[in-house]
């Protein structure tokens, strides 16, 4: 399935957002997620299905001013 | 005054009191170690943070977050770079989950050259977020009417700019900042952005601002740790000066040495 992760084209076997994070090695990472521009809270990730063409954002703490 | 009777001089943001009136940004430091040391040297109890795309490979965000947690400071997440209300609101929601705080430094940027706030979007986003339980620190201009609208939207802190972000120009509009201070004596006011030198920060404090938020001036100094210390000292000096009630300025000289009893040594 072809999706877009953080602005870049990606191929995934994951069916849910939680599976996608695991696939990317981010299962235990402190991240916030959004699907097609809408935030998905951590507890909702296992039940959030992803489909072909979806846009996923995975955000982490970063330096800021 | 007896030192024992001096009340601790603290500032409160949404019911949270802090002693340090310097809020420090965490971006652009030469290394994580220098960032850590600069935060310690600054005495800051609140630091700003952001959120960005995480790559599975580097996990840069995770190590940054453990560094901040080790320092035991409060974090103020920002919505830097957001240009629309929707973007800013979604970013704030993600930051709240990530950092576990209702605080948000709300930025809605309206113009690329000056990074000046889109004050219309800012007020709208502030209203949405305040209603949703956020404690909003809006990055705004010194405009009084905008300030009034932000307060009506639920903001209990205002953060007017000194000058464009990262410019180091200092306080571009001292008159505007002074009148903002005079109009809202009970609202915590923080000069945010544009500070280049400790003297700029001291001037803001002498004007009666409650705190100063800065980043680039420390991060991009040749010696960020030393500059962090310099800012801490300047902010403390400016605050002390305000509390000490400065003298009035006057146009003409007034001798400071008593004239009475002066020797007459001329012809």
């Amino acid at each position: 399935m072809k999706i877009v992760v953080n602005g870049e084209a990606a191929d995934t076997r994951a069916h849910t957002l939680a599976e996608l994070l695991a696939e990317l090695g981010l299962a235990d990472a402190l991240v916030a997620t959004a699907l097609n521009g809408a935030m998905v809270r951590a507890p909702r990730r296992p039940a959030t299905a992803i489909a072909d063409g979806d846009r996923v954002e995975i955000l982490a703490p970063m330096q800021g001013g | 005054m007896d030192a024992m009777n001096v009340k601790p001089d603290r500032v409160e943001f949404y019911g949270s009191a802090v002693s340090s009136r310097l809020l420090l940004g965490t971006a652009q430091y030469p290394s994580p170690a220098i960032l850590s040391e600069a935060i310690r040297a600054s005495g800051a109890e609140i630091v700003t943070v952001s959120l960005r795309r995480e790559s599975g490979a580097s996990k840069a965000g995770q190590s940054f977050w453990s560094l901040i947690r080790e320092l035991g400071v409060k974090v103020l997440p920002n919505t830097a770079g957001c240009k629309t209300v929707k973007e800013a609101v979604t970013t704030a929601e993600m930051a709240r989950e990530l950092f576990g705080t209702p605080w948000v430094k709300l930025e809605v940027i309206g113009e690329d050259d000056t990074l000046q706030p889109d004050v219309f979007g800012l007020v709208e986003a502030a209203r949405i977020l305040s209603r949703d339980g956020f404690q909003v620190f809006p990055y705004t201009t010194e405009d009084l009417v905008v300030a009034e609208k932000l307060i009506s939207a639920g903001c209990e802190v205002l953060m007017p700019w000194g000058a464009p972000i990262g410019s180091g120009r200092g306080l571009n509009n001292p008159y505007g900042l002074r009148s903002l201070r005079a109009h809202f004596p009970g609202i915590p006011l923080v000069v945010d952005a544009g500070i280049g030198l400790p003297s700029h920060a001291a001037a803001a404090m002498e004007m009666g601002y409650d705190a100063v938020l800065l980043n680039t001036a420390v991060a991009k100094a040749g010696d960020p740790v030393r500059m962090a210390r310099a800012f801490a000292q300047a902010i403390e000096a400016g605050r002390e000066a305000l509390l000490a009630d400065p003298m009035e300025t006057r146009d003409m000289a007034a001798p400071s040495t008593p004239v009475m009893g002066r020797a007459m040594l001329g012809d």
Side-chain angles (χ1 to χ4, degrees):
Chain A
M1 178 165 55
K2 291 195 188 314
I3 59 170
V4 178
V5 179
N6 285 348
E8 289 182 14
D11 234 322
T12 180
R13 292 162 171 272
H15 297 101
T16 66
L17 206 44
E19 285 175 25
L20 178 68
L21 287 179
E23 199 180 87
L24 295 169
L26 294 170
D28 301 322
L30 182 69
V31 290
T33 49
L35 180 63
N36 299 323
M39 180 186 180
V40 179
R41 292 178 196 286
R44 302 280 312 150
R45 287 174 199 152
T48 302
I50 46 177
D52 207 46
D54 273 352
R55 287 176 298 113
V56 177
E57 291 287 329
I58 303 169
L59 305 186
M62 205 54 68
Q63 296 84 345
Chain B
M1 201 188 295
D2 188 335
M4 297 293 284
N5 294 331
V6 178
K7 281 208 301 203
D9 178 37
R10 309 184 84 191
V11 58
E12 264 191 36
F13 300 117
Y14 291 97
S16 245
V18 289
S19 303
S20 168
R21 291 166 181 272
L22 169 55
L23 285 68
L24 194 61
T26 55
Q28 308 182 81
Y29 290 79
S31 72
I34 292 176
L35 165 63
S36 263
E37 218 184 315
I39 292 174
R40 276 200 202 94
S42 75
E45 292 162 60
I46 301 171
V47 300
T48 53
V49 294
S50 195
L51 58 175
R52 284 288 180 272
R53 289 169 166 175
E54 178 76 310
S55 95
S58 74
K59 291 194 184 167
Q62 312 302 309
S63 53
F64 168 67
W65 184 231
S66 37
L67 181 153
I68 294 299
R69 289 183 65 174
E70 275 168 27
L71 291 165
V73 287
K74 292 180 202 297
V75 294
L76 174 58
N78 69 25
T79 61
C82 291
K83 292 187 170 170
T84 65
V85 172
K86 181 179 183 292
E87 250 186 316
V89 168
T90 306
T91 303
E93 283 169 352
M94 294 174 88
R96 179 164 64 177
E97 185 186 64
L98 206 54
F99 297 107
T101 172
W103 284 10
V104 63
K105 170 180 161 177
L106 182 61
E107 290 183 38
V108 184
I109 298 300
E111 212 276 323
D112 277 338
D113 287 330
T114 58
L115 294 178
Q116 103 178 54
D118 165 5
V119 294
F120 306 97
L122 182 70
V123 170
E124 196 185 332
R127 186 171 298 120
I128 295 168
L129 291 170
S130 299
R131 221 165 20 208
D132 193 21
F134 281 88
Q135 296 175 337
V136 178
F137 294 60
Y139 165 62
T140 184
T141 64
E142 66 276 25
D143 189 288
L144 296 180
V145 180
V146 173
E148 191 64 72
K149 289 190 187 302
L150 286 167
I151 292 167
S152 309
C155 296
E156 294 177 22
V157 178
L158 297 176
M159 303 210 295
W161 63 348
I165 296 171
S167 69
R169 294 175 51 85
L171 309 180
N172 259 357
N173 180 4
Y175 167 79
L177 289 169
R178 208 171 276 125
S179 63
L180 187 70
R181 178 69 286 178
H183 273 78
F184 301 102
I187 298 277
L189 296 181
V190 182
V191 169
D192 175 11
I195 299 290
L197 289 169
S199 53
H200 301 151
M205 299 308 294
E206 287 168 5
M207 246 179 224
Y209 274 76
D210 293 282
V212 173
L213 196 167
L214 57 99
N215 185 349
T216 314
V218 167
K220 291 293 186 188
D223 183 343
V225 177
R226 195 162 196 168
M227 191 58 89
R229 204 175 299 126
F231 269 104
Q233 290 165 349
I235 286 166
E236 208 183 317
R239 176 69 186 170
E240 281 289 288
L242 175 82
L243 298 177
D245 190 10
M247 64 170 280
E248 298 284 331
T249 54
R250 50 191 293 163
D251 288 332
M252 303 306 281
S256 48
T257 302
V259 179
M260 287 289 288
R262 182 173 64 89
M264 301 299 277
L265 302 173
D267 292 331

